[in-house]
Amino acid sequence: MKGIKLVSYVTIAIFLGMILLGQCVVYYANPYSYNITVNQGEEAEYNVDTSYNVPYTAVSMNSSRNPDIKDYYLVSDEYLKFGYNGTSIPDQIKIIVNEMKIYDINLKVINSKEAGNIMSDEILHDSFRCMILFISGYLDSSIYNGTTESLVLEWVHSGGTMYWSGGPIGKCISFENGDILEVKSYSNVFFDTDNAVRDQKNTLYARNLQEGSLTSKLSMLYNSCTFGLRTETLKYEHLSLDYSCDGYSSVTCVKIDNGMITVFGGVVDRFMAQVIASGISYDTKIIECDKIAMNRGPSSGTLKLNDSGSTFVYIFLGDLTVKGARLFVLPP
Amino acid sequence: MNRFRELLETKKNSFSLKSTTKSVLFILMIGLIIRLVLAPFTGNEYDITYWASFIGDMESGYLLYGAGSLWYPPIWGYLTAGIGYLLNLLGAVPLDVLLLGIHDTTIIEAGRYAMTVPIFNLAIKLPLIISDLIVGWLIYKFIMDKTNDEKKAKVGLMLWLFCPLTIYMSAIHCQFETLCVLFMIISLLLMFRGSYFFAGVALSISIITKVFPILLLPLICVYILFVKRNDLRYGFKSLLTMIAGFMIVSLFIMLPVIMNGELHEVFNFLTSRVAVPPNVMGDELNISDILKTYSTIVSISIVGIVTLISSYILFRTHEDYNSVFLKMTLVIMVSFFIMPFSNFLPQYYVMLIPLLALITALYKNLISIWAAISLITTVLCLCYINWMYPIGLTGLVDMDSMIMWVKGNHPVIITLSHAMEFIYHFIGIGTFVILWIKLGITSFIKTVCAKQ
């Protein structure tokens, strides 16, 4: 029995040692740290310093829309526990709020009334520096009445930045007493065209990522088209990412007068964060892209810039899953 | 002359010991080779992707339960995080290419699954494979020490090591039941040897790994309290020592989870098995889901009753204390699977395999139960899970034709998996009844009642 005791003790000791190592990795030490800086000259010079092996991508982009967002908000009303397709709202909030932390973005949860106040305030001061994300698939009656006269649409047309997921955009108005009202011509209300929004509950996923595209270079892997926009029907300027199915796009950024709506074709997913954090909009173009297969320690490089519009540099660590990212909006 | 004979005997014994050790090493080596061959190019498409995602999440700065890629108690999370860190440190695997996306293929509807590269598959399965070997050796050594019969000991070893379900779980699927088994066995063997503190330590690791041995707590308490019939003080002292070991290590493992407010996430996998599934996408609740949920709840109640009866039988037992304890351990574990249509997965049956191996080698031939359980559960797993994806990476096998043979895409596989699933639902109750008869539980109860 001595052998049994000895082997048991050694096994226990080694195993507890491995547990301690895991605890250190997750809780006590921070072995996965990084630092990213960008200096602007004629070109953008970036420095990336990582404490572990990780690939990274540095991209310079430009667009006519300034991606410099000051405050990030997510709308959630207490009376809604489940979204349009039955998914738990608190679970979805947890996913996206935690994911945005990786990008060093504090996504604040507010209710529709607070969102309404923010929208009114931005319209009043003609200053649009925040984004508002809707995830339930419903719009509260305090900001949306099913017509173009709604506060949310007035805000977007004036210059607001809206992100949408969870259901067909504009189809359902929710009321505090739990009632849901369906709007018939919601596609017209939002996009001034019929049948721009997919309105079927069966899930639709796309797999058509194009090599070398903006979607691929920025590792934007959101691929649900269930409630996506049919881009061929859109009259407004827009950018749709690669993943599309039956003509419906998974992610579409649409220019609405001075503002922008980005429609995600499904429910909340961690891949949404990359789209939001990178600041892409309806006319974003990549100027230059550096993909570094593997990096450990300090490394640097330069990226070409462009004189027209807003120029920004986005650097993210990781590939299929993003480990950290920073957006630098460069002064003109 | 006598002294010379003694010396000769000792020499002979040491020689036979060496050849015994060699043959056991040979068996262990075969077990190891089988697993090492299978490990790199197989994996459960769902679970192993999650383990790789989990490592990615740790790199992103998430805590253990932050990203939702771990819904088990923390031990497997710690272990995976540690393995991921070591792999990154060694530069052996660029962690971010662990997940080779299959978004562009026609395999997976949701496009979220991915294939993991062979070196990762091997690295993540290595602790499980080593665990299999240690369990095998412990079974062998325990039987040898108890019977001094090498044949019996090897039977026990081989029933564990070459059980298809054991091989499948550690070398193919990559689920960590074997770790739970390892520390359950260590705990029981240390308890038999009176090393109660470390028995408590091992039991704590086992329970926090995958909870199942929690079913044995009442039986273990009774065993320790009455291990010396005439000395109840010794029993209490031993029990307190074991509890101390259990508590100290539990605190060590759980402290960071508690400190970071993640305690409520620890038993997600368990609570979800007994929760009524939500009404997703407006569909009506599926009758089979409801059946599974309530079957699971009834199963847990049955386990409670069987545990009480088994503990009482042990309490009333005065002879063959260890033997009765082991048999009752098996009875309790089997009662967990008694209800047909419960939510329990085939992999949980691994918990029974070492007990079946020990009892078969030591007391009663339970080979038929062993064979039925290991074959039915393994075939069921192989039919339902896309375990061959990583083989596709080699380019040796065409992915589309491979898919035809798994996950119910081929008529033969569909028929086989339906048949196996039907039998699977009744394997628990069947095993329980056969065990009841073979182990003579009725006569146990009669004896106990007669003594009263």
Side-chain angles (χ1 to χ4, degrees), chain A residues 301-317:
Chain A
T302 53
L303 291 167
K304 284 180 193 146
L305 299 175
N306 202 334
D307 292 336
S308 64
S310 279
T311 305
F312 49 106
V313 170
Y314 184 62
I315 299 174
F316 65 95
L317 310 178

Side-chain angles (χ1 to χ4, degrees), chain A residues 1-5 7-9 11-12 15-16 18-23 25-28 30-32 51-55 82 85-87 94-95 98-100 102 200-203 205-209 221-224 226-227 243 269-271 293-294 296 318-324, chain B residues 56-60 62-67 75 78-79 81-82 84-86 88-89 91 94-96 99-101 103-106 108-112 127 134 137-138 141-142 145 179 182-183 186 189-190 193 195 198 201-202 205 249 252-254 256-257 260 262 265 279-282:
Chain A
M1 275 290 187
K2 268 186 182 174
I4 287 181
K5 274 193 177 180
V7 169
S8 301
Y9 294 159
T11 307
I12 289 171
F15 199 77
L16 289 178
M18 288 167 77
I19 287 174
L20 186 62
L21 172 71
Q23 288 181 337
V25 169
V26 182
Y27 293 105
Y28 302 132
N30 180 19
Y32 304 120
S51 66
Y52 65 110
N53 287 306
V54 64
F82 294 95
N85 72 340
T87 45
K94 188 184 157 193
I95 291 169
N98 284 341
E99 189 69 14
M100 293 304 285
I102 292 172
Q200 291 166 42
K201 282 192 171 180
N202 63 312
T203 50
Y205 291 99
R207 308 177 195 93
N208 52 337
L209 184 65
L221 303 175
Y222 190 93
N223 70 340
S224 173
T226 308
F227 311 112
Y243 291 111
D269 183 314
R270 54 195 306 183
F271 292 120
M294 199 52 62
R296 185 180 187 141
D319 193 1
L320 284 177
T321 52
V322 173
K323 313 292 161 58
Chain B
D57 294 336
M58 296 302 103
E59 290 181 351
S60 300
Y62 274 111
L63 297 182
L64 221 50
Y65 297 97
I75 284 185
Y78 293 143
L79 210 61
Y85 176 66
L86 290 176
N88 192 295
L89 201 67
L95 278 184
D96 210 63
L99 293 157
L100 295 182
H103 297 268
D104 303 332
T105 71
T106 52
I108 300 289
E109 266 303 306
R112 283 289 173 270
I134 300 174
W137 188 84
L138 287 171
K141 193 78 176 96
F142 178 70
D145 286 351
L179 295 175
L182 171 65
F183 289 99
I186 287 181
L189 298 191
L190 288 179
R193 294 304 297 158
S195 180
F198 287 99
V201 168
I205 297 173
V249 168
F252 164 71
I253 295 167
M254 300 300 287
V257 177
N260 287 281
E262 293 186 293
E265 309 266 14
N279 188 358
V280 179
M281 297 296 282

Side-chain angles (χ1 to χ4, degrees), chain B residues 4 18 38 71 115 132 144 154 160 187 228 270 276 281 345 375 378 384 409-410 416 436:
Chain B
F4 178 73
K18 271 183 186 168
L38 289 170
W71 70 324
M115 281 182 285
D132 277 0
M144 265 307 267
K154 279 182 184 167
W160 164 256
S187 176
K228 284 189 181 174
L270 207 64
V276 177
M281 297 296 282
L345 303 174
L375 287 178
T378 311
Y384 270 115
N409 283 331
H410 193 279
L416 187 64
W436 190 277

